[in-house]
Amino acid sequence: MARMSAARAKVPRNLGGGAPPPFRPVQLATLVDTVPTGNHWLHEMKYDGYRVLLAVGGGEAVAYTRSGLDWSEKFPGLVEAAAQLKVGTALIDGEAVVLDSDGRSGFQALQNALKGAPERIDYFAFDLLELDGEDLTQMPLTERKARLAKILPKGKSRLRYSDHIVGNGEKLLHQFCEANLEGVISKQVDGRYVGARSGGWLKTKCIKRQKFVVVGWTPSDKSRLFRSLILGVHEDGVLRYAGKVGTGFDTQEIIDLMAVMAQLEQDAATVKAPRAEVRGAHWLRPKLVAEIAYTEMTNEGTLRHPSYLGLREDKKPEAVVVEREAAVETATAPASSVTITNRDRVIFPEGKLTKGALADYYAQVAPIMLPWAGSRPISLVRCPQGRAKKCFFQKHDAGSFGDAVKHVAIREKDGHEEPYLYIDTADGLLTCVQMGTIEFHGWGARIEDVEKADRLVFDLDPDVGLDFGAVRTAAFHFRDILKSIGLETFPMVTGGKGVHVIAPLVPDAEWSEVKDFAHRLAQAVAQSDPERFTAALPKAERKGRIFVDYLRNQRGATAVMPYAARAREGAPVAVPISWKEMEAIDKPSHWSIRDGAELVKRAGSKALVGWGRADQVLPDL
């Protein structure tokens, strides 16, 4: 039951293309202190708008946010223009903006246009991920941009090509800053597209600005309804006070904000703050995110000379963290810059595979693993002395992992927040390995919105004594059941005993809906074929049958991530496969950490094009 927005533009023609490609994670830029030098970097203008993926196919078009939501209704003009492109299918990466008379993009202008003048919104396209069914992400950036330029309209159009220069990035930044533009995005000219923060894209800003959580407001003794907004930001997984902002609002924005904030008021203080600075504060549940410009952050972590730019509807408060400039040399260093100590320590005694071998494997597969495991709350299986010794799960951190392993604040059942781990770079991945991690397990949601699932996972777990043939047959049976109710699925061998059947989802269903759906489906399958399946939790009731583990589909539950190693004999790894490959594969531990180069190569093969991506929502059951 594929998701279909009423705002999707349709053009009555047939170019031989299929449906618009589904969303895929976008490549992210790392904030750095200066523009990288050399001719292996190209430089583009940094636009001040919303990141948008435009998907085109079959005479239709869709606009996705950076987190995968369908925002076609907000960008009708862009969707209509994209639907008219003379392509079969395409997936375009770019920025939705509003330009002033001097050609400058402005976030406040975009916000105003979204409220009532969407015809003012233009789109600067800077990358092409798919074209006519071909995955272009493994091509060098310059080749992708050349193809992009060819499919965009010539002359006046809402869809514009984002031009670039090679080299001379520092000079370009100086020119942009003099013209009061936002900054420069620098990209490796031969870089592949990695749906994570890979170090291949860097951003350098003219002025400091970032997102903050609105945690309250202070009253005004004049005509204005409030004097200032109280701001917070997550640091080490805890929401802390970041100062106040009292400029940048016009009268209408103040009125609109008061209407929104009135629904979020609470009695308890949302953050700890100096009493004198928040006297008379009205506290809010931390649900709103604002873009703020400022001159600097003090040693105490508060903002100097902040100015309000607008609310960010595309960003969830849990994902708002302090963004600090990294040294460009550090940001562009290879993943091997993470020092792996005790490389000769044997982690897998059966094959005498070492910690160094495990680290080398994760360095190899980082580009294909991070789009799945990155920017997602994770739990680690750490085995500091090797898999045969004591291993333990870890999902929180007291700061021992350093800056490369990050935190997202997640509210627990009792109302308090806990810092959950996440990674979004190869450095983060390898830092975990340095700390003794073998396995990576992730939530069924990304940090952009931890309350909305982006996948269903059914773990088909065979009882002792059942061979893999029974699991294979069960996987196909499960695929057919899910297909009959409108869900496309993808298999993954887990490196353990079984298979995961995965159904990607547009992230708009709450956890309660997802868990209920998974539970009812598992029960229905077990009841329809009780000789082969069971959904019963007690192990005594699983004898001779395959347990349909639906419990991966609840808030806080995790499942092993694609390409993660397992703390099992032979160092097997979890690997995405096609349904065609499922027909012949011999066992769920077919690949091991010895096969990193092969896995990277096959990830770009035709067999796995589109694996794990589908534009669909929970159907009725």
Side-chain angles (χ1 to χ4, degrees):
M1 190 172 292
R3 179 180 177 84
M4 181 62 68
S5 167
R8 290 187 180 183
K10 296 186 179 182
V11 178
R13 57 186 172 76
N14 182 10
L15 293 171
F23 170 80
R24 62 193 301 165
V26 298
Q27 182 150 351
L28 302 173
T30 300
L31 179 65
V32 292
D33 56 357
T34 186
V35 181
T37 59
N39 289 335
H40 58 289
W41 291 94
L42 64 78
H43 311 281
E44 301 170 343
M45 181 183 294
K46 187 178 188 306
Y47 300 101
D48 193 5
Y50 272 135
R51 183 79 171 272
V52 172
L53 286 180
L54 287 177
V56 185
E60 299 177 12
V62 192
Y64 293 112
T65 68
R66 60 185 289 163
S67 61
L69 295 178
D70 184 342
W71 271 21
S72 300
E73 293 181 359
K74 293 181 182 288
F75 302 111
L78 303 186
V79 169
E80 182 180 358
Q84 296 174 20
L85 292 176
K86 293 179 172 58
V87 297
T89 61
L91 187 60
I92 303 169
D93 193 359
E95 192 98 353
V97 301
V98 170
L99 301 178
D100 65 15
S101 58
D102 295 320
R104 289 189 294 258
S105 57
F107 184 69
Q108 284 183 320
L110 175 62
Q111 290 287 76
N112 292 336
L114 286 170
K115 294 175 183 177
E119 68 279 359
R120 296 182 56 210
I121 301 173
D122 290 324
Y123 183 79
F124 280 92
F126 46 67
D127 215 323
L128 183 61
L129 283 61
E130 296 183 26
L131 181 62
D132 296 333
E134 182 183 1
D135 186 339
L136 308 184
T137 57
Q138 299 306 302
M139 288 184 176
L141 172 59
T142 48
E143 290 187 28
R144 300 198 305 272
K145 291 201 70 173
R147 291 204 186 190
L148 173 64
K150 289 180 180 179
I151 68 170
L152 292 175
K154 302 297 185 278
K156 188 172 178 60
S157 170
R158 290 183 183 279
L159 308 183
R160 309 185 184 194
Y161 176 73
S162 178
D163 216 334
H164 64 268
I165 65 169
V166 175
N168 294 313
E170 194 65 47
K171 181 179 179 181
L172 186 67
L173 178 66
H174 180 71
Q175 293 172 346
F176 283 175
C177 293
E178 281 194 334
N180 294 320
L181 297 172
E182 191 181 352
V184 166
I185 296 288
S186 305
K187 303 175 181 178
Q188 292 175 334
V189 297
D190 60 350
R192 277 52 175 168
Y193 192 98
V194 179
R197 204 179 303 275
S198 68
W201 289 14
L202 307 175
K203 56 185 175 183
T204 317
K205 296 182 180 181
C206 295
I207 60 170
K208 298 180 187 298
R209 55 184 288 177
Q210 72 163 70
K211 301 159 192 69
F212 292 88
V213 183
V214 180
V215 297
W217 57 274
T218 59
S220 173
D221 54 4
K222 299 180 181 178
S223 59
R224 297 202 320 172
L225 297 172
F226 63 79
R227 178 190 296 273
S228 61
L229 300 180
I230 305 171
L231 304 175
V233 66
H234 288 102
E235 195 164 42
D236 295 329
V238 177
L239 187 63
R240 67 160 177 82
Y241 177 66
K244 298 179 297 182
V245 59
T247 61
F249 314 97
D250 59 23
T251 302
Q252 188 59 50
E253 185 70 8
I254 291 172
I255 294 171
D256 292 345
L257 278 168
M258 286 301 296
V260 174
M261 292 190 298
Q263 304 173 47
L264 300 174
E265 287 210 27
Q266 64 179 22
D267 293 332
T270 313
V271 295
K272 293 180 180 179
R275 185 176 301 176
E277 293 189 28
V278 294
R279 186 172 288 113
H282 293 247
W283 297 104
L284 305 175
R285 299 197 305 276
K287 299 294 185 182
L288 301 178
V289 176
E291 185 90 8
I292 306 294
Y294 59 98
T295 56
E296 65 179 334
M297 189 173 286
T298 68
N299 292 335
E300 292 75 32
T302 58
L303 304 181
R304 286 178 55 81
H305 306 118
S307 179
Y308 173 87
L309 300 177
L311 291 182
R312 297 293 307 223
E313 296 180 53
D314 61 336
K315 191 80 170 181
K316 296 298 180 181
E318 296 87 359
V320 175
V321 297
V322 176
E323 188 178 30
R324 293 189 172 91
E325 293 177 339
V328 69
E329 296 83 2
T330 301
T332 57
S336 58
S337 64
V338 174
T339 301
I340 304 296
T341 60
N342 301 312
R343 287 183 59 90
D344 294 332
R345 176 182 292 158
V346 174
I347 300 296
F348 300 93
E350 305 84 9
K352 299 193 183 316
L353 291 169
T354 64
K355 181 181 179 183
L358 180 64
D360 292 344
Y361 165 76
Y362 275 119
Q364 280 181 304
V365 301
I368 59 174
M369 181 176 175
L370 284 171
W372 306 109
S375 297
R376 188 179 297 274
I378 55 172
S379 292
L380 311 174
V381 175
R382 294 179 62 191
C383 309
Q385 300 303 315
R387 80 158 202 93
K389 303 291 179 66
K390 182 180 180 181
C391 297
F392 56 92
F393 265 96
Q394 181 169 355
K395 59 184 179 180
H396 304 301
D397 172 36
S400 59
F401 282 80
D403 293 338
V405 179
K406 301 177 181 179
H407 308 90
V408 57
I410 297 179
R411 194 170 296 272
E412 303 286 18
K413 291 180 180 179
D414 62 4
H416 82 286
E417 290 186 337
E418 284 286 347
Y420 281 71
L421 299 170
Y422 78 93
I423 54 175
D424 61 5
T425 63
D427 278 0
L429 192 68
L430 289 177
T431 296
C432 293
V433 176
Q434 162 59 15
M435 298 293 287
T437 300
I438 294 179
E439 300 186 7
F440 292 82
H441 296 248
W443 277 44
R446 292 171 60 86
I447 63 168
E448 288 90 353
D449 192 346
V450 297
E451 303 303 336
K452 303 288 179 65
D454 70 347
R455 67 180 186 189
L456 280 166
V457 177
F458 292 98
D459 182 4
L460 303 184
D461 187 9
D463 187 35
V464 177
L466 287 179
D467 63 19
F468 187 63
V471 180
R472 183 190 295 114
T473 301
F476 280 109
H477 182 61
F478 226 81
R479 177 199 65 178
D480 295 342
I481 291 172
L482 288 166
K483 187 174 183 180
S484 71
I485 58 174
L487 287 176
E488 184 177 359
T489 57
F490 303 87
M492 182 179 78
V493 289
T494 63
K497 298 185 297 178
V499 168
H500 284 180
V501 178
I502 301 168
L505 298 174
V506 171
D508 66 357
E510 301 285 349
W511 281 115
S512 57
E513 301 174 69
V514 175
K515 181 182 178 182
D516 179 64
F517 177 91
H519 187 195
R520 286 187 292 121
L521 183 66
Q523 287 181 319
V525 171
Q527 290 168 5
S528 68
D529 193 352
E531 296 297 317
R532 194 158 32 146
F533 295 104
T534 178
L537 298 181
K539 289 193 174 182
E541 298 182 33
R542 304 182 193 175
K543 290 186 178 179
R545 292 181 289 179
I546 292 172
F547 173 52
V548 181
D549 187 351
Y550 61 88
L551 296 173
R552 311 286 180 184
N553 305 293
Q554 59 184 334
R555 189 180 191 273
T558 61
V560 67
M561 290 285 92
Y563 304 108
R566 306 305 303 272
R568 296 172 179 265
E569 183 176 349
V573 296
V575 178
I577 63 173
S578 68
W579 283 113
K580 183 67 176 176
E581 290 173 315
M582 176 62 80
E583 295 175 359
I585 196 164
D586 56 344
K587 55 185 177 180
S589 55
H590 181 87
W591 289 277
S592 77
I593 65 170
R594 296 183 177 92
D595 301 313
E598 178 191 344
L599 293 176
V600 171
K601 183 177 180 180
R602 74 185 300 275
S605 68
K606 289 184 178 180
L608 292 182
V609 168
W611 187 94
R613 296 190 290 115
D615 188 13
Q616 55 194 12
V617 296
L618 283 180
D620 295 328
L621 186 63

